Amino acid sequence: MTESARLENRWAVFDRWGPYGLLVLGAVLAWATADALGMGTRERRASGVLVAGAVAVELWWGVRSRTRPPGPSAAGIRQYTLRWGIGFALTWLNPLFAFYAVIGYFSTERLLPRSLRKAGLCATAVTLAGSQSGGMPPHDGLGWTLFGALLAANGLLVLLFGHFADLEEDRGRARLETISELERTNTALQQALDENAALHSQLLVQAREAGVADERRRLAAEIHDTLAQGLTGIIAQLQVTANTRDPAAARVHLDRALALARENLGEARRSVHNLSPVALADGGLPEALKRTVTEWGERIGVRAEFTVTGTAEPLHDEMAATLLRIAQEALSNTARHARAGRAGVTLSYMGDEIILDVRDDGRGFDPLALPARTSAGGFGLDGMRARAERVAGSLTVESEPGGGTAVSARVPLVRHDP
């Protein structure tokens, strides 16, 4: 709670219970000094009736104020007038009842409009000056002189504090205007952020389309370099087999054709697997990663753990596929090169981005001295990095010889299209 809110709450408590406390204090002091101040039976009965009336007025206002908005109103003007009238009458009967009348100084801003506040303060000053001069009405010329002096002093203080109150109200109004201006600025900023988010989504769509084009080019190159050449070789071996009459030579060529067919079947499966991850068909990314890590660990014989941090959210298909492919490639690298005894995969939802970490305790390597990629495979880091960059993400690798490897992919958290 802010300081202004705490101050407002304290004023609200005083507005509700302060009049009762001041009325009780004035009544106790007046009763204790009734004989000394010459209050007769009639004055005592009249003060009792007025005290009961003050209680009734405060109770009525307490109920009314709970059902009306705060601030000056016609009901507030009536409440201030009733308080002043009862306080003036009680102070006439006993000057010590001015403890109740003083509430008029504290309630002008909450009950009276700005045009009536100085009048209300001056009326309260009359009551207080009468009490301070010994009671009303003054009994002689000296009493009237004292009353006039006290009234002038109270009036001066009223004007002075009223001026300060007006300055404070002006400052408060200026603060409210500043707050309103900040709210308008924040609204404009939010609109700009929304427009940026829409632009960001558009750029992601374009990146996805570019990624699809890159994937098509990759498949075309793989088909040309592997499948097409492999099929050409198979055809050539089968043609030689058909044209030879030597069974032993034919068997050699058939074995070569069979080996080429098996090799190309593996290439075809790998290409299709990279194009459309089937692991995402039955659930979201966390489920797919968990199955992938579990199956990988059982197949390789390595202790593998999967962890999710943050609140999981449905991801855009391209984001989920990218992270799953990066995880599969990183685990494949671990199986081929790391000789690890333990591996861990962590998927972290971090507000507006998602992070995939793949770690192992294997032999590690020097990221600045990677070996050349061979036909048997390689580290695949360039491919993983390219996948992340296609969706406006990034990939970092931390490793050292004998110190294990950590691969971290960071991509924007783009939610699933409804």
Side-chain angles (χ1 to χ4, degrees), residues 285-286 288-290 292-294 296 303-309 323-324 326-328 330-331 334 342-348 355-360 407:
L285 179 61
L289 283 173
K290 184 176 181 180
T292 299
V293 172
T294 301
W296 178 87
R303 180 182 175 185
E305 298 177 350
F306 173 67
T307 306
V308 178
T309 64
L323 291 175
L324 179 59
I326 290 175
Q328 291 170 339
L331 291 174
T334 299
R342 184 175 180 180
V345 177
T346 301
L347 186 66
S348 303
I355 301 174
L356 173 71
D357 295 304
V358 183
R359 307 169 307 281
D360 65 65
V407 177

Side-chain angles (χ1 to χ4, degrees), residues 286-352:
E287 293 80 5
L289 283 173
K290 184 176 181 180
R291 288 195 301 270
T292 299
V293 172
T294 301
E295 293 172 358
W296 178 87
E298 294 174 352
R299 184 173 67 254
I300 304 301
V302 174
R303 180 182 175 185
E305 298 177 350
F306 173 67
T307 306
V308 178
T309 64
T311 302
E313 299 188 43
L315 290 179
H316 191 281
D317 293 342
E318 186 69 14
M319 296 298 175
T322 297
L323 291 175
L324 179 59
R325 289 170 180 171
I326 290 175
Q328 291 170 339
E329 181 67 21
L331 291 174
S332 178
N333 289 341
T334 299
R336 291 198 305 267
H337 308 290
R339 298 177 184 175
R342 184 175 180 180
V345 177
T346 301
L347 186 66
S348 303
Y349 291 84
M350 307 285 288
D352 58 350

Side-chain angles (χ1 to χ4, degrees), residues 16 26 33 49 83 102 130 178 204 248 288 323 357 370 412:
R16 183 172 183 179
T33 59
V49 171
R83 278 181 178 173
V102 78
T178 301
L204 287 176
L323 291 175
D357 295 304
L370 290 178

Side-chain angles (χ1 to χ4, degrees), residues 263-285:
E263 181 180 349
N264 279 266
L265 178 60
E267 291 290 343
R269 287 174 175 171
R270 182 181 64 81
S271 298
V272 172
H273 176 72
N274 287 338
L275 177 64
S276 178
V278 296
L280 290 172
D282 299 328
L285 179 61

Side-chain angles (χ1 to χ4, degrees), residues 45-390:
R45 289 177 179 176
S47 62
V49 171
L50 289 171
V51 168
V55 172
V57 167
E58 298 301 338
L59 290 173
W60 170 81
W61 180 247
V63 174
R64 182 67 182 273
S65 61
R66 287 196 293 269
T67 59
R68 56 175 292 277
S73 63
I77 295 174
R78 288 195 296 271
Q79 173 67 9
Y80 190 92
T81 303
L82 287 173
R83 278 181 178 173
W84 178 85
I86 294 174
F88 181 83
L90 286 171
T91 305
W92 187 285
L93 296 173
N94 189 313
L96 294 178
F97 273 115
F99 280 102
Y100 174 69
V102 78
I103 194 67
Y105 280 152
F106 301 100
S107 58
T108 52
E109 291 187 7
R110 298 178 181 273
L111 299 181
L112 299 180
R114 190 167 186 174
S115 59
L116 295 179
R117 289 175 188 172
K118 290 183 179 179
L121 291 173
C122 290
T124 301
V126 171
T127 304
L128 271 294
S131 171
Q132 294 163 357
S133 62
M136 294 182 290
H139 301 292
D140 51 26
L142 180 60
W144 280 104
T145 301
L146 180 59
F147 171 76
L150 291 172
L151 180 60
N154 280 276
L156 181 60
L157 291 175
V158 163
L159 293 176
L160 182 61
F161 287 114
H163 176 67
F164 290 154
D166 290 341
L167 292 178
E168 183 62 27
E169 185 174 354
D170 291 339
R171 282 196 294 268
R173 188 180 297 108
R175 285 194 295 268
L176 290 176
E177 292 176 355
T178 301
I179 292 173
S180 299
E181 181 63 27
L182 288 175
E183 290 177 348
R184 289 192 294 270
T185 303
N186 288 336
T187 301
L189 179 60
Q190 185 61 47
Q191 292 176 351
L193 290 175
D194 293 340
E195 293 175 358
N196 288 337
L199 179 60
H200 183 64
S201 299
Q202 182 179 358
L203 290 176
L204 287 176
V205 171
Q206 295 175 353
R208 181 172 181 252
E209 293 175 351
V212 170
D214 290 342
E215 194 73 4
R216 289 174 177 172
R217 286 192 292 270
R218 183 190 66 80
L219 285 175
E222 287 190 2
I223 291 173
H224 178 271
D225 295 340
T226 58
L227 300 182
Q229 294 182 11
L231 291 174
T232 301
I234 292 171
I235 293 173
Q237 294 297 323
L238 292 177
Q239 286 177 342
V240 172
T241 302
N243 295 327
T244 184
R245 294 179 180 276
D246 183 0
R251 184 64 185 177
V252 171
H253 290 296
L254 283 175
D255 289 342
R256 289 177 181 175
L258 181 60
L260 285 173
R262 288 174 176 169
E263 181 180 349
N264 279 266
L265 178 60
E267 291 290 343
R269 287 174 175 171
R270 182 181 64 81
S271 298
V272 172
H273 176 72
N274 287 338
L275 177 64
S276 178
V278 296
L280 290 172
D282 299 328
L285 179 61
E287 293 80 5
L289 283 173
K290 184 176 181 180
R291 288 195 301 270
T292 299
V293 172
T294 301
E295 293 172 358
W296 178 87
E298 294 174 352
R299 184 173 67 254
I300 304 301
V302 174
R303 180 182 175 185
E305 298 177 350
F306 173 67
T307 306
V308 178
T309 64
T311 302
E313 299 188 43
L315 290 179
H316 191 281
D317 293 342
E318 186 69 14
M319 296 298 175
T322 297
L323 291 175
L324 179 59
R325 289 170 180 171
I326 290 175
Q328 291 170 339
E329 181 67 21
L331 291 174
S332 178
N333 289 341
T334 299
R336 291 198 305 267
H337 308 290
R339 298 177 184 175
R342 184 175 180 180
V345 177
T346 301
L347 186 66
S348 303
Y349 291 84
M350 307 285 288
D352 58 350
E353 64 182 5
I354 185 169
I355 301 174
L356 173 71
D357 295 304
V358 183
R359 307 169 307 281
D360 65 65
D361 61 353
R363 60 180 183 176
F365 62 94
D366 184 359
L368 300 179
L370 290 178
R373 189 174 180 86
T374 66
S375 59
F379 284 84
L381 296 178
D382 292 338
M384 289 188 285
R385 182 172 289 107
R387 289 187 185 277
E389 291 175 351
R390 285 191 190 116

